[in-house]
Amino acid sequence: MFPADGRKLLPLFTGHSPRRAATTCRYRCGDACAHEAPNTSDNPYFGDVVREIVSRRNVLKAGAVLAAAGASMATVSAPVAAAPGKTGRPGHGLDFTPVAPNTLDAVVVPDGYEQDVLIRWGDPVLPDAPEWDFANQSAAAQARQFGFNNDFCGLVPLGRDRYLMVSNHEYTSENHMFHGWDPANPTREQAEIAWAAHGLSVVVVERDRAGRLEVKLDRHYNRRITLRTPFTVRGPAAGSLLLRTSADPAGRTVLGTKNNCAGGVTPWGTILSGEENVNQYFANADAVTDPVARARLARYGFPAGATERKWERFDDRYDLAKEPNEANRFGWIVEIDPRSPHENPVKHTALGRFKHEGANVIVARDGRVVAYMGDDERFEYLYKFVSDGKFKRGEGRHAREHNKRLLDSGTLYVAKFTGDSPAAEIDGSGRLPSDGEFDGSGEWIPLAHNDRSLVPGFTAEEVYVFTRAAADVVGATKMDRPEDVEPSLRNRRMYAALTNNSERGNPGKEGATEVNPRVRNRHGHVLELAERRDDNTATTFSWQLFLVCGDPAADDTYFGGYDKSQVSPISCPDNVAFDSRGNLWISTDGNALDFNDGVFAVPLEGRERGHVKQFLTVPAGAEACGPVIDDDFVLVSVQHPGELDGASADNPASHWPDGGDTQPRPSVVAVYRS
């Protein structure tokens, strides 16, 4: 089955489960997919909603949607599709030869491109950091070195050819970090190393005369943020009784951030980072006796007994029986100002609490800012936040301080989608309905505005702290793992990566809907959403599925109307980004086609719309994360290389990036045109 160069031929569409090792599932999300999805609400099935809609087939054309959620809804801006089956020249800036799917233990880039490892787990971040020594790690050293399992990566310009690079460190895989790891008996030192390996790294990077990036051990800006770093809580839930603990009776200062997944760079030059699978770090939910508190914990998937890492043995805040409110202090969007290294990062309560993949901001035409967000779990929701205040242009101190307060006050919304096809045409197979695409209209349902709840039976504080439950009540649309959600600054549309949902259509679970059209969805899809009149503050929108991912030869895939015989296979979209020409770039997580994950590029406009091309692949067992797309380079975070079933620090399955008999190390890779 393997050619001589180690690359696989594309298999037929089969029933294999997504290509993700048990270790990754265990340490990244606490085996979320092995448990029942925590959303047990009885929101109306999409099919029931569709039956109430009059078919408007005669007024729909390929790629254009005239959305009418009711007689009062105005015309909405619609995405523009390519004519089906058309092909053209490569999209501007995308003139590379696609990389073939493979299972190599390497980062593979197109012909004519070169790569460098920019920074690895354990490399120095602070000037006084010791050299990396896998066999002799310490918490003190790790707090000065690049953390583990880097995910999101963002650049903040710091003058010409100089940047502040910020990387999330999502989670730790202890059996890949330590020789002789005993999951039943971790040591305090191992726990403290893991606490230091979480969080974020801030490093200065500069371009040399050849245009290559290199890390600088800058004494002023370089910084490690860990589970011991103080964060200031801001927004309408700051100081709430629900956030108070014995260590913080005011409910306004939290130590650390964890499970930081995706993120974004704000227009004012700060970093937003999403706290995602935080539930797995807290033990003994079964010891909580209050039925309301137990139900809230269950809605967020907190484990009944001991945790995988056993941190509760070393710090009471991870024991819900002792500190029941500590769990409420995680699951937020956090903001870091890399240009202010001595300033506390912030946890923003106005943006709600759930399993945040990340947040990305656009300045609306009236000056207010809008943040789009996804809750990364099966059958969860898409959200947006619209600020009360308006963005101030300029780099002066007054403008920056004003803008850094914009996410403290505004309205939080959740999305409800409506399809425009007859229910009988959405049968779960993924075959296109008669109008040739999955599309429709929708609305943003308000949940709260500052200290005013807009959800019956909820106080404002309850909306912000238990956002999932509030969204259940208003009938939000259940989605297939909404991950990275990002607006394009060129066309003002929002693009959401919906990774997969193996439970859709299972007994007792919601079946296919037009916005989630496949049962047991293994490969995911990419949603394109256009706000009414291109106004990002609008409360109505049109939408369509831009990509329905998987094997292009399969009937249940769709590539924006492009000729499927010409595209690269893509599975499990995770992160999205844009280049300066407006092309969409996608990284994947858990390729269910049984190949390594990678980074893909695809035009959004014109004859090439939908022409997906694979730009690179990451090593076996790794996930491609946090792409940064610059005119002169591409950065990709290579997370958990070598995490394959049966592998460990004592039996490594990868020796990337250093080769020989070395241990695999999560890293940031820079790719350049030769």
Side-chain angles (χ1 to χ4, degrees):
M1 186 169 181
F2 292 88
D5 64 357
R7 300 169 188 243
K8 279 188 179 181
L9 300 176
L10 184 64
L12 295 176
F13 182 65
T14 67
H16 293 299
S17 60
R19 195 172 188 266
R20 178 59 63 233
T23 290
T24 305
C25 296
R26 187 161 68 249
Y27 288 103
R28 181 177 61 182
C29 61
D31 271 332
C33 289
H35 300 92
E36 284 291 313
N39 190 350
T40 59
S41 64
D42 58 353
N43 292 351
Y45 280 15
F46 206 83
D48 297 333
V49 177
V50 171
R51 292 186 186 97
E52 301 172 6
I53 302 170
V54 177
S55 174
R56 298 178 297 281
R57 205 59 53 229
N58 292 335
V59 297
L60 292 172
K61 299 188 190 234
V65 180
L66 183 62
S72 62
M73 183 180 289
T75 300
V76 247
S77 299
V80 179
K86 295 294 184 181
T87 61
R89 296 180 179 179
H92 192 48
L94 303 183
D95 55 344
F96 58 86
T97 301
V99 168
N102 63 77
T103 57
L104 302 174
D105 185 30
V107 172
V108 180
V109 299
D111 291 340
Y113 287 80
E114 300 175 0
Q115 57 176 298
D116 292 328
V117 175
L118 191 56
I119 191 168
R120 312 162 173 77
W121 169 45
D123 282 353
V125 168
L126 303 181
D128 62 349
E131 289 300 313
W132 174 240
D133 186 346
F134 183 89
N136 295 285
Q137 300 178 58
S138 71
Q142 179 64 89
R144 292 167 171 77
Q145 298 164 333
F146 196 67
F148 199 72
N149 272 341
N150 46 292
D151 194 303
F152 168 77
C153 181
L155 293 180
V156 174
L158 195 66
R160 183 177 179 180
D161 292 336
R162 196 164 184 250
Y163 309 88
L164 289 164
M165 185 178 79
V166 183
S167 292
N168 287 353
H169 301 295
E170 184 177 5
Y171 70 100
T172 49
S173 306
E174 277 77 355
N175 63 337
H176 286 264
M177 294 174 65
F178 306 115
H179 285 302
W181 168 251
D182 182 357
N185 296 289
T187 67
R188 172 174 283 277
E189 180 70 8
Q190 288 171 333
E192 292 184 353
I193 291 170
W195 297 344
H198 279 72
L200 301 96
S201 292
V202 181
V203 297
V204 171
V205 294
E206 294 181 359
R207 297 183 67 187
D208 62 19
R209 292 183 177 180
R212 300 298 181 98
L213 293 169
E214 56 184 6
V215 171
K216 299 295 183 180
L217 298 184
D218 188 274
R219 294 183 179 276
H220 178 69
Y221 288 112
N222 283 20
R223 181 183 186 187
R224 274 304 321 280
I225 295 168
T226 73
L227 272 167
R228 294 298 192 186
T229 302
F231 279 69
T232 299
V233 182
R234 290 217 313 251
S240 166
L241 291 173
L242 297 167
L243 301 183
R244 298 179 187 179
T245 65
S246 58
D248 176 28
R252 293 181 178 273
T253 304
V254 177
L255 285 184
T257 184
K258 64 169 73 76
N259 216 264
N260 298 77
C261 198
V265 181
T266 67
W268 49 94
T270 63
I271 298 292
L272 299 182
S273 173
E275 297 181 327
E276 191 183 17
N277 294 295
V278 301
N279 56 305
Q280 63 173 314
Y281 299 88
F282 295 91
N284 301 325
D286 56 353
V288 177
T289 57
D290 177 71
V292 174
R294 286 176 69 95
R296 288 168 170 170
L297 290 169
R299 184 64 184 86
Y300 283 77
F302 285 88
T307 64
E308 180 70 37
R309 296 174 178 83
K310 311 293 190 296
W311 289 357
E312 62 272 18
R313 297 181 182 178
F314 310 111
D315 192 332
D316 285 349
R317 69 173 174 151
Y318 299 110
D319 189 339
L320 293 169
K322 298 175 180 178
E323 289 289 353
N325 280 352
E326 185 71 26
N328 298 339
R329 294 149 64 85
F330 294 88
W332 304 100
I333 290 294
V334 301
E335 184 173 13
I336 295 94
D337 186 350
R339 286 185 280 183
S340 299
H342 304 297
E343 183 179 284
N344 278 7
V346 173
K347 297 204 176 192
H348 282 295
T349 62
L351 274 62
R353 174 176 162 268
F354 41 89
K355 290 189 177 181
H356 281 282
E357 172 76 12
N360 283 279
V361 170
I362 188 170
V363 179
R365 298 192 188 282
D366 69 356
R368 289 183 289 169
V369 301
V370 180
Y372 291 94
M373 302 168 286
D375 185 349
D376 181 11
E377 194 152 36
R378 296 160 296 170
F379 301 111
E380 293 301 338
Y381 309 126
L382 282 167
Y383 298 84
K384 82 171 179 180
F385 169 86
V386 180
S387 71
D388 289 335
K390 296 184 177 182
F391 175 71
K392 287 188 176 181
R393 301 193 179 278
E395 288 295 314
R397 180 175 180 179
H398 176 73
R400 292 196 75 244
E401 291 304 314
H402 168 84
N403 293 333
K404 284 160 63 173
R405 290 279 177 176
L406 289 174
L407 301 182
D408 291 348
S409 173
T411 304
L412 180 64
Y413 297 87
V414 68
K416 185 173 183 178
F417 293 82
T418 301
D420 63 19
S421 298
E425 295 186 6
I426 310 299
D427 59 5
S429 68
R431 287 188 292 270
L432 292 173
S434 58
D435 70 338
E437 56 190 356
F438 299 110
D439 58 0
S441 59
E443 62 178 313
W444 293 105
I445 305 173
L447 298 176
H449 177 255
N450 300 335
D451 60 356
R452 182 166 61 96
S453 169
L454 303 173
V455 180
F458 283 71
T459 66
E461 290 178 359
E462 289 170 339
V463 169
Y464 293 116
V465 179
F466 308 114
T467 311
R468 282 182 167 182
D472 293 341
V473 169
V474 301
T477 298
K478 299 176 181 178
M479 306 294 281
D480 286 356
R481 286 188 60 201
E483 296 219 36
D484 202 12
V485 181
E486 187 163 345
S488 165
L489 300 184
R490 288 175 67 96
N491 65 22
R492 310 194 74 85
R493 301 176 205 142
M494 184 273 285
Y495 295 82
L498 297 150
T499 298
N500 54 44
N501 186 351
S502 58
E503 284 196 3
R504 184 167 292 279
N506 285 352
K509 301 296 182 182
E510 183 178 74
T513 67
E514 189 158 358
V515 75
N516 302 284
R518 292 185 291 192
V519 296
R520 292 171 288 284
N521 177 12
R522 300 167 63 249
H523 299 292
H525 44 276
V526 176
L527 170 74
E528 185 176 49
L529 183 152
E531 302 276 21
R532 179 177 180 268
R533 296 177 180 171
D534 293 331
D535 177 5
N536 294 94
T537 71
T539 57
T540 56
F541 56 83
S542 66
W543 64 268
Q544 66 178 200
L545 297 189
F546 172 51
L547 302 177
V548 182
C549 300
D551 185 341
D555 291 338
D556 67 339
T557 56
Y558 174 77
F559 291 79
Y562 198 81
D563 180 356
K564 295 202 297 179
S565 69
Q566 303 298 312
V567 304
S568 295
I570 180 173
S571 175
C572 301
D574 186 349
N575 300 125
V576 295
F578 302 93
D579 61 28
S580 63
R581 301 173 179 89
N583 300 306
L584 181 68
W585 292 67
I586 304 165
S587 64
T588 65
D589 170 22
N591 189 333
L593 293 169
D594 208 26
F595 295 112
N596 292 355
D597 281 314
V599 174
F600 301 75
V602 54
L604 295 173
E605 309 288 350
R607 293 174 61 87
E608 287 289 288
R609 174 178 163 89
H611 186 184
V612 173
K613 298 171 67 175
Q614 183 155 14
F615 179 72
L616 62 76
T617 56
V618 293
E623 171 187 345
C625 302
V628 175
I629 314 301
D630 186 85
D631 287 345
D632 298 315
F633 56 83
V634 169
L635 301 182
V636 60
S637 297
V638 180
Q639 192 186 76
H640 56 76
E643 281 196 8
L644 299 172
D645 287 333
S648 67
D650 297 317
N651 182 36
S654 170
H655 302 292
W656 185 89
D658 298 324
D661 60 356
T662 61
Q663 294 287 339
R665 296 165 69 181
S667 307
V668 177
V669 173
V671 181
Y672 314 87
R673 193 182 293 271
S674 297

